[in-house]
Amino acid sequence: MSAGRFFAAAALCALLLASACDQLPGASKPQFHGVDVTGLDTGKSLVLEDFNGKTRTLADFRGKVVLVTFGYTSCPDVCPTTLQDYAQAMKRLGDDASRVQLLFITVDPARDTEQRLRAYVPAFDPRFLGLRGDEKAIERVTQDFHVYAQAHPGKPGEPYTVDHASQVFAFDPQGRLRLMIPASTKPDDIASDLRILLRS
């Protein structure tokens, strides 16, 4: 494990422990499939532009469940799989899907232009939004969310890849971070968690 991965994992463990300590004894907890991280104060640094050039923050989507995921359009596997799973979960929600907003934050701003994000992200679901910024803006957001992202140069003439965290962060309609959902979560389980958050 690289030093970057170690420190990111350590920070995540500390956050999860802090969240667990915030739970009141005897309080009934929703039966989530994702990891309940209620109480973590994350997301204030999310100030990025969408693929239409409009500046976005989490406050823009207050009243909706907001899903935040990190990736890049050249990602060969986990990104398209995750977006496809969430598109399937949206279908399972029916009319309630209009109250859910997924935000795909690129960790590869050098290649992921507005045009590229606009062509890629809504192809999975027309309601999904792609967000980008310069390298400093992306670094601020990844640090705020305690996620790992590191580019790895390929061989000469080959495209580089970007290692990155694959979990999805779910905020409730009041703008509070509630869940970290692993990338391998099935669409039915995702939809179940989203229904609980929509009722919160």
Side-chain angles (χ1 to χ4, degrees):
M1 178 181 288
S2 68
R5 286 175 181 266
F6 175 81
F7 287 117
L12 179 58
C13 288
L15 286 172
L16 290 174
L17 286 172
S19 176
C21 292
D22 286 340
Q23 299 296 330
L24 296 175
S28 61
K29 295 174 60 179
Q31 297 301 307
F32 289 120
H33 297 278
V35 179
D36 189 338
V37 293
T38 301
L40 298 186
D41 187 18
T42 298
K44 290 184 173 63
S45 70
L46 201 166
V47 183
L48 298 170
E49 289 189 357
D50 68 20
F51 48 54
N52 297 311
K54 182 177 180 178
T55 300
R56 296 289 194 170
T57 70
L58 287 175
D60 294 334
F61 308 103
R62 195 61 51 85
K64 293 187 176 184
V65 167
V66 179
L67 304 167
V68 176
T69 184
F70 294 82
Y72 64 114
T73 63
S74 300
C75 180
D77 40 40
V78 68
C79 297
T81 299
T82 297
L83 290 173
Q84 181 61 38
D85 286 343
Y86 277 81
Q88 292 298 318
M90 294 286 275
K91 290 181 180 178
R92 286 157 171 77
L93 290 177
D95 291 341
D96 284 338
S98 64
R99 299 170 56 210
V100 177
Q101 179 63 64
L102 183 139
L103 304 176
F104 178 88
I105 298 176
T106 180
V107 292
D108 186 16
R111 288 185 294 189
D112 284 344
T113 61
E114 290 180 4
Q115 293 80 5
R116 193 161 181 170
L117 286 171
R118 191 183 304 119
Y120 181 81
V121 179
F124 295 92
D125 186 291
R127 292 163 290 206
F128 291 176
L129 272 178
L131 302 182
R132 69 179 310 280
D134 59 25
E135 289 187 6
K136 289 185 177 179
I138 297 299
E139 184 178 359
R140 281 195 300 271
V141 177
T142 56
Q143 288 179 351
D144 183 15
F145 280 80
H146 301 274
V147 299
Y148 175 83
Q150 180 64 53
H152 289 280
K155 296 178 182 178
E158 294 183 357
Y160 61 85
T161 59
V162 184
D163 286 346
H164 60 90
S166 58
Q167 69 268 31
V168 177
F169 298 84
F171 292 78
D172 67 18
Q174 290 74 44
R176 301 171 300 189
L177 178 60
R178 298 293 302 280
L179 295 176
M180 283 195 296
I181 306 175
S184 58
T185 305
K186 297 178 180 178
D188 284 340
D189 294 338
I190 294 168
S192 175
D193 283 356
L194 297 181
R195 290 190 187 98
I196 294 172
L197 293 180
L198 286 168
R199 295 196 300 265
S200 66

